[in-house]
Amino acid sequence: MKDSTTKRKPAGERAARKRTAIISAAREQFLRHGFGVGMDQIATEAGVSKVTIYNHFGGKEDLFTEVVGDALEQALGDSARAMDRRLAADEDIRDVLVAAARGWVEGIAQDEVLALRALIAAESRRFPQLGRAWRAQGPDRFAEPLAVALRRCEDLDIPDMQVAILQFYALVLYPHIVHSGYGERLAPDLAERLVERGVDMFLSYYRTPGGADRTV
């Protein structure tokens, strides 16, 4: 019997259109009905058969992972590429961090993206791969290029890069995620202050001059 794990996924332009339609329909259905929505319902919304969905994605968990990846690419892809260009151009690190943080906030604070994250949080105990997909396409996507940029700054002293990057996310991005859990959105002017002052706090803490006297 042929191993199902080696089964080739449909390819070609027609298959790509169907794949896009399935992801779009699944995103809408997951957000409307939660992870418990039936594959039949997703297939109907996409205008394809349930067999077609399984041929493309294998199962509901894989489909949801693709939905998360697609949503985060739409929300953060441009920001990631812009950050890479700025880093390659060797721009001032503060300008890079402010621009990147603004892009992250604009992308991640979208209602649909926040709703997907809430759904992942609700299902992550049963399906931990959903949380891993979020991290891979979201925070982890920026961690390595950001670490490279910070290491290049000779006036920064960062002994624990993993902690530093988490601190940076906490300053500029995580308040939006926390408040979304209460059903609230941060006002645009507050979001901008969090970005500007968060970047300044971060750089001030890790600057080498007066490093022995750092306080937080």
Side-chain angles (χ1 to χ4, degrees):
M1 185 174 69
K2 186 176 180 179
D3 186 353
S4 61
T5 61
T6 63
K7 184 177 180 180
R8 295 177 60 184
K9 293 182 179 181
E13 184 177 343
R14 184 166 178 266
R17 288 197 300 268
K18 285 189 177 182
R19 185 179 182 86
T20 298
I22 293 167
I23 291 174
S24 177
R27 180 174 176 174
E28 180 179 343
Q29 292 299 309
F30 282 133
L31 289 173
R32 185 181 300 173
H33 302 292
F35 192 73
V37 66
M39 294 289 267
D40 285 324
Q41 198 165 339
I42 294 173
T44 299
E45 181 72 19
V48 300
S49 69
K50 188 164 67 170
V51 172
T52 298
I53 296 181
Y54 283 112
N55 286 340
H56 278 270
F57 300 100
K60 188 190 290 188
E61 296 85 0
D62 292 335
L63 175 56
F64 190 80
T65 298
E66 290 288 336
V67 168
V68 170
D70 180 72
L72 289 177
E73 170 59 29
Q74 292 181 33
L76 300 174
D78 287 345
S79 179
R81 289 182 284 273
M83 187 177 78
D84 289 342
R85 288 193 299 269
R86 286 174 174 271
L87 293 175
D90 201 25
E91 293 190 22
D92 178 78
I93 189 63
R94 183 185 186 278
D95 293 341
V96 173
L97 293 181
V98 167
R102 285 174 179 155
W104 300 345
V105 168
E106 181 180 354
I108 216 75
Q110 296 176 27
D111 289 338
E112 284 195 354
V113 178
L114 289 171
L116 279 174
R117 187 192 176 280
L119 186 53
I120 289 170
E123 299 290 345
S124 61
R125 185 179 296 274
R126 288 195 301 160
F127 305 107
Q129 68 270 29
L130 303 182
R132 290 194 292 269
W134 172 275
R135 291 196 306 273
Q137 294 295 324
D140 290 355
R141 181 176 188 173
F142 294 89
E144 184 55 33
L146 185 56
V148 170
L150 293 171
R151 290 190 186 102
R152 286 208 314 247
C153 295
E154 296 180 357
D155 61 341
L156 296 180
D157 177 20
I158 304 179
D160 190 331
M161 188 61 69
Q162 184 179 23
V163 167
I165 290 175
L166 286 173
Q167 288 172 331
F168 184 63
Y169 291 159
L171 286 167
V172 301
L173 184 59
Y174 290 164
H176 296 274
I177 295 174
V178 171
H179 278 259
S180 72
Y182 310 144
E184 298 177 356
R185 293 288 299 270
L186 297 182
D189 63 322
L190 177 55
E192 178 62 19
R193 298 203 307 275
L194 282 170
V195 167
E196 294 271 356
R197 296 177 190 178
V199 169
D200 288 338
M201 287 175 65
F202 180 83
L203 292 176
S204 176
Y205 181 78
Y206 283 111
R207 294 253 186 230
T208 49
D213 300 323
R214 294 177 187 147
T215 58
V216 290

